[in-house]
Amino acid sequence: MRRFIIAFLLFFFFVCGLSGVQLKIEFKSSADTKILVEDVSKVISSLLPEKTYLEITLDGSNLLATGDSTQIDTVYELTFIATYDATQNKYNASWYDQTQLAYSCSYSPKDQRPYSDFVRECAHYPLEKVSLWLLKNDQFEKYLRITYHPSVDEYGSFSPDGKYFAFITDRLSGNRNIALLDLQAGKITVLPVAGSSEYFPRFSPDGKRLLFQGSLHGFWNIYVMPLENYSKNIVLISAGNNPAYNPCWYDDGTVLYVQDSEYGNRLLLSTIAKKRKQIEIPYPFEMVFSPTVYKDTIYFVGLKESDFGIYALTSDGTVTVVENTVFNEHDPAISPDGRYLAYSCNITGYYTIWVKDLFTQEKWCITQDIPHDAFYPVFSPDGKVVAFSVYEGNFEPDIWFVRFRPVSSTLQAESVPRSSRAPCH
């Protein structure tokens, strides 16, 4: 087994030719935990981000040392200790950063989750540590996987100033909470709201509040809470006994969301002061989903005869088709300059993230190198990065970033396109 690990790691680093940050890991095990330690080391080596060197020591024996120290910007020295409690048939695992306990987890064959999830949880700490360093130092090429925990990580949103990235995770006690990634510090903080599960966090235009879909009152409602002292002063926005979901900001004092009705659902607009009105959509949709706003235009997903497409509702009440093919388009996101539409569709046989230039009508895939379903794209405030969620096999989704490089560089537009000038193909 040990020779297999060494051969695998040597092959991995020969192919990738990495540089940037070094991860030194000292593994400590016993006869009962040796297989666990080897499984964790294999996962770390197979998922390690580019521009990362790895040095492994197992029970005092050097297994691998790669990289040129003159090319390394920083070094993380971590210790992984695994123990087995025979009386409880339980494995305990801990990560130490220098001498400080950084993360711990446990597993018993009696647990509901599989052993592979425990291994992934053990491996996630060093992987996220180096990934967040690469992110905050802007040291990645095209793609960068941000999260590695076996939990659900999805539904991302950037703050307007580009300082934070919010997403949903259930890594804390299995309940879905909003997680706040400080992009400057490279640190993830979970923001639990007692008695509720949260979805679709969205920063307000001023960056001081978070809009989200939550279950604080027993079923899905729309809420707003301040970013500072986040668990206090939570405001209920939606009303009635029908589930409400898919919130977004219309402006700094008004939110947009979808709520179920007797015959499907409807699009509602509500001020923070709870003055609500229904948005009339003059088009025969069975249901609508995922609204997002750019200036005075509302982009949304419309369902007609089992076909999903992306449409736009302009301020004069006109509905135009933005992108509607047989491949079921979802999750619209508009770039900060209003020129590009990012969305997910299954044109490749599984869901990938595509971008459409609303001026030239050109379309291209930005996740073509990732052979897994991808959903929920969102542009960074400067338009240089698109974040999304990747669903790898039987694992829960993780957050990825990709650098956004438009294919249309020759056409320079003087103004932002209106949806009426961007008809569907």
Side-chain angles (χ1 to χ4, degrees):
M1 178 69 73
R2 189 175 294 185
R3 284 185 295 177
F4 169 81
I5 296 173
I6 296 173
F8 184 89
L9 295 176
L10 289 173
F11 170 78
F12 179 82
F13 284 100
F14 175 78
V15 171
C16 294
L18 306 180
S19 63
V21 58
Q22 186 170 23
L23 182 61
K24 293 184 177 181
I25 299 177
E26 180 183 5
F27 285 103
K28 294 184 178 181
S29 67
S30 63
D32 294 322
T33 61
K34 192 170 293 292
I35 292 178
L36 170 62
V37 166
E38 292 175 341
D39 288 341
V40 172
S41 64
K42 283 190 293 183
V43 171
I44 292 173
S45 61
S46 65
L47 297 180
L48 202 68
E50 293 182 352
K51 296 191 176 182
T52 308
Y53 292 109
L54 182 63
E55 181 177 310
I56 290 181
T57 301
L58 176 58
D59 298 329
S61 300
N62 293 327
L63 291 185
L64 181 69
T66 67
D68 181 353
S69 60
T70 62
Q71 301 177 19
I72 295 170
D73 297 304
T74 193
V75 177
Y76 289 128
E77 297 184 3
L78 307 176
T79 301
F80 180 80
I81 300 176
T83 61
Y84 174 70
D85 185 343
T87 61
Q88 299 185 26
N89 191 19
K90 185 177 182 180
Y91 293 89
N92 297 293
S94 300
W95 283 101
Y96 289 84
D97 193 338
Q98 302 297 329
T99 60
Q100 297 295 317
L101 177 63
Y103 189 85
S104 61
C105 54
S106 61
Y107 169 78
S108 170
K110 297 180 181 180
D111 292 349
Q112 293 183 351
R113 65 171 177 166
Y115 169 75
S116 59
D117 275 5
F118 174 56
V119 173
R120 284 247 176 168
E121 183 177 1
C122 291
H124 96 279
Y125 178 76
L127 290 170
E128 287 190 358
K129 191 171 184 67
V130 296
S131 179
L132 294 176
W133 184 91
L134 294 169
L135 177 65
K136 75 176 183 178
N137 289 282
D138 197 26
Q139 293 294 314
F140 66 100
E141 297 299 330
K142 183 176 181 180
Y143 300 108
L144 181 62
R145 180 174 173 176
I146 304 300
T147 63
Y148 292 84
H149 197 282
S151 63
V152 172
D153 296 323
E154 58 186 352
Y155 306 137
S157 172
F158 287 94
S159 63
D161 59 4
K163 182 179 179 180
Y164 297 110
F165 179 80
F167 62 97
I168 294 302
T169 185
D170 64 353
R171 63 180 64 193
L172 184 63
S173 302
N175 192 48
R176 299 199 179 199
N177 302 121
I178 298 173
L180 197 64
L181 166 57
D182 187 325
L183 297 169
Q184 298 174 0
K187 181 181 179 181
I188 296 175
T189 304
V190 179
L191 311 179
V193 175
S196 174
S197 292
E198 292 78 57
Y199 287 72
F200 300 106
R202 298 291 181 259
F203 286 95
S204 60
D206 63 6
K208 296 180 179 180
R209 292 163 291 175
L210 279 170
L211 173 70
F212 62 94
Q213 170 187 327
S215 60
L216 194 58
H217 289 82
F219 61 96
W220 294 125
N221 276 296
I222 306 304
Y223 302 89
V224 171
M225 68 179 181
L227 189 60
E228 187 175 352
N229 297 322
Y230 66 89
S231 63
K232 301 178 181 179
N233 301 316
I234 299 176
V235 178
L236 171 64
I237 300 298
S238 55
N241 295 321
N242 293 322
Y245 43 92
N246 289 166
C248 72
W249 291 91
Y250 187 82
D251 56 36
D252 200 46
T254 313
V255 301
L256 189 65
Y257 60 94
V258 177
Q259 187 164 25
D260 285 346
S261 62
E262 183 178 357
Y263 302 104
N265 63 13
R266 55 183 181 163
L267 200 58
L268 294 175
L269 198 67
S270 176
T271 65
I272 303 300
K274 303 179 185 179
K275 295 181 179 180
R276 307 177 186 90
K277 70 175 182 177
Q278 182 174 346
I279 302 296
E280 298 295 336
I281 303 178
Y283 214 86
F285 293 105
E286 298 170 27
M287 300 187 79
V288 296
F289 304 95
S290 307
T292 188
V293 178
Y294 182 80
K295 292 190 174 180
D296 57 357
T297 298
I298 300 172
Y299 296 84
F300 64 95
V301 174
L303 172 63
K304 292 199 314 174
E305 300 177 351
S306 301
D307 176 56
F308 292 91
I310 296 174
Y311 301 82
L313 175 66
T314 59
S315 58
D316 61 5
T318 301
V319 170
T320 59
V321 184
V322 181
E323 183 66 16
N324 182 25
T325 70
V326 298
F327 300 109
N328 289 321
E329 292 78 17
H330 296 272
D331 311 326
I334 304 298
S335 62
D337 61 2
R339 176 167 176 171
Y340 300 99
L341 166 74
Y343 60 96
S344 61
C345 73
N346 62 0
I347 190 172
T348 56
Y350 57 94
Y351 278 90
T352 46
I353 306 299
W354 287 70
V355 170
K356 181 174 184 176
D357 187 323
L358 298 179
F359 280 113
T360 68
Q361 309 302 304
E362 292 178 273
K363 296 179 287 187
W364 65 98
C365 181
I366 60 173
T367 61
Q368 71 273 18
D369 303 315
I370 302 175
H372 307 290
D373 287 332
F375 296 95
Y376 310 117
V378 58
F379 286 93
S380 60
D382 59 8
K384 295 181 180 180
V385 169
V386 176
F388 53 95
S389 295
V390 172
Y391 297 68
E392 177 189 350
N394 295 323
F395 293 105
E396 299 290 2
D398 286 291
I399 303 295
W400 287 61
F401 283 12
V402 60
R403 294 197 186 278
F404 179 60
R405 299 184 175 98
V407 298
S408 302
S409 58
T410 57
L411 179 61
Q412 299 295 327
E414 295 181 357
S415 61
V416 172
R418 293 179 61 88
S419 297
S420 58
R421 292 163 51 190
C424 171
H425 282 220

